[in-house]
Amino acid sequence: MDDIVKQAMAKWPDVPDCYGWLGLDSRGQWHMRDDRVQSLGLFQSEVPGAKGSVLKHEKLVAFIHRNYAADEQGRWFFQNGPQRVYVELELTPYVWRLDDQYTPTAQTGEITRVRACLMDETGRVYLETELGLGLVHSMDVGHVADALEQGLWKLVDCESKDLPNQYGFVISPQAVAKASKP
């Protein structure tokens, strides 16, 4: 986490958390979701426009990557100065890109090692890694096939609905926050 972020957290410890404004899609892209977009539905919905606009500002995206983490309840967030911005996930907290040696790199730029390779009921491929679970980017599924063919990994079947509980992450912190309000 950036030092300036840690300093802001210490200076303003009681800034309220933010829900629903930031989403991570299945291609590793960040989406900004204003009030109008949020009124269309949750990030994970199939409603056109509900994902919001893709963030393309390189320095902002790099700042998000450096300050992206999970809390003890498995809710992923971006620490934006003193404010914690919880992230709506399309599927998983990480999206992996694979190089020619089958080394996974997260959308954040972090490099890790594969522990297991999973495929869900729709054919989506995930990697369990030292960092956690993530979806393999659709452009890199061919690398997965090569690694499987070479016997580097064994494919394990999974159900997508079970992954959040099994791997300890929350798809929609916004939905959880709304459900817990009296």
Side-chain angles (χ1 to χ4, degrees), residues 18-25 29-41 43 49-57 60-61 63-64 78 80 83 85-88 174:
C18 179
Y19 294 90
W21 284 79
L22 186 63
L24 178 67
D25 73 13
Q29 300 177 109
W30 298 100
H31 294 255
M32 183 60 67
R33 305 181 69 242
D34 61 18
D35 284 331
R36 183 194 62 76
V37 169
Q38 288 184 52
S39 72
L40 297 174
F43 183 72
K51 287 207 180 335
S53 29
V54 175
L55 293 178
K56 296 185 179 186
H57 191 280
L60 175 58
V61 170
F63 182 62
I64 292 169
F78 154 54
N80 184 24
Q83 186 170 52
V85 179
Y86 282 99
V87 176
E88 297 292 296
Q174 182 181 28

Side-chain angles (χ1 to χ4, degrees), residues 128-146:
E128 176 189 350
T129 74
E130 294 172 348
L131 289 176
L133 185 77
L135 178 73
V136 173
H137 192 287
S138 60
M139 292 180 63
D140 292 339
V141 173
H143 285 310
V144 172
D146 292 342

Side-chain angles (χ1 to χ4, degrees), residues 67-95:
N67 297 286
Y68 181 59
D71 67 13
E72 59 283 343
Q73 296 161 354
R75 300 175 301 175
W76 284 81
F77 63 89
F78 154 54
Q79 190 67 46
N80 184 24
Q83 186 170 52
R84 186 166 282 190
V85 179
Y86 282 99
V87 176
E88 297 292 296
L89 304 173
E90 184 172 349
L91 291 170
T92 60
Y94 291 108
V95 177

Side-chain angles (χ1 to χ4, degrees), residues 58 62 68 88 122 160 164 175:
E58 290 179 22
Y68 181 59
E88 297 292 296
T122 65
S160 60

